């Protein structure tokens, strides 16, 4: 059974304190790993898609990386507006996305 | 502006009642999806449709029904058979039928039981 596990469940950072969120997965035939950001009471917003091990993508203070078993979302010098829940999802074969439970990030000024 | 519109934002259901959640998109996307989100849980797929007049069950389809009569519309009915319907419901779409395309989400409907 495909599984996506995100850690930690919640993370509290001081403004400017860099850290990483983890997404580990067990799927056969990975076609893509997705990162989304979700603000409270809203729908998720797309951040990145990673397709193969070794791939990296960046957007402002966020950088996503992918290995054969996990992905990291690195947050460099975060600001309070980066506070949100970050969702990881994987797609394998011809089946729809499988989502992890997310990491709730709080950045304190 | 192009996007996905879900309505209503909040919905209350009485016991034994069926309720319908609306989802409309003007992105000209082929595929549409319904997800359920419970507190502290990931998104779980209810139904999805890759083309008009066709849809498939997701992981938790029991107690729900959908239709796809028009490309831009994918309404979800929560039937009385769904005994625990309180959740945040999210509609999404993707441009093509390939499963590895990114999803665009609506702003969600919070359903509660009276």
């Amino acid at each position: 059974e495909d599984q996506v596990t995100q850690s930690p469940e919640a993370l509290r950072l001081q403004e400017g304190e860099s850290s990483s969120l983890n997404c580990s997965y067990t799927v056969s035939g990975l076609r893509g790993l997705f990162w989304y950001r979700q603000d409270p009471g809203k729908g998720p917003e797309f951040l990145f898609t990673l397709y193969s091990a070794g791939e990296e993508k960046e957007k402002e203070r966020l950088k996503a990386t992918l290995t054969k078993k996990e992905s990291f979302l690195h947050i460099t010098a975060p600001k309070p507006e980066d506070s949100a829940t970050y969702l990881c999802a994987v797609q394998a074969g011809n089946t729809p996305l499988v989502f992890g439970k997310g990491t709730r990030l709080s950045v304190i000024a | 502006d192009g996007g996905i519109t879900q309505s209503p934002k909040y919905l209350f259901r009485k016991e034994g009642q069926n309720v319908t959640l609306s989802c409309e998109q003007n992105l000209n996307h082929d595929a549409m999806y319904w997800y359920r989100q419970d507190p502290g849980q990931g998104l779980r797929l209810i139904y999805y449709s890759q083309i008009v007049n066709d849809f498939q069950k997701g992981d938790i389809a029991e107690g729900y029904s959908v239709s796809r009569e028009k490309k831009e519309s994918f309404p979800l009915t929560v039937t009385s058979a769904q005994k625990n319907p309180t959740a945040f419901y999210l509609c999404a779409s993707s441009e093509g039928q390939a499963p590895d395309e990114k999803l665009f989400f609506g702003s969600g409907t919070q359903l509660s039981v009276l």
Side-chain angles (χ1 to χ4, degrees), chain B residues 25 74 112:
Chain B
Q25 55 102 355
F74 192 41
S112 302

Side-chain angles (χ1 to χ4, degrees), chain A residues 34 36 51 91 97, chain B residues 33 94-103:
Chain A
F34 298 77
Y36 288 84
Y51 294 102
Q91 198 280 316
L97 289 180
Chain B
Y33 308 79
S94 61
E95 185 171 357
Q97 298 178 25
D100 60 345
E101 297 200 24
K102 67 181 182 183
L103 299 180

Side-chain angles (χ1 to χ4, degrees), chain A residues 37-40 80-86 103-107:
Chain A
R37 168 189 170 131
Q38 185 177 23
D39 293 305
E81 54 261 41
D82 294 321
S83 298
T85 295
Y86 291 85
T103 293
R104 292 190 315 278
L105 174 66
S106 299
V107 181

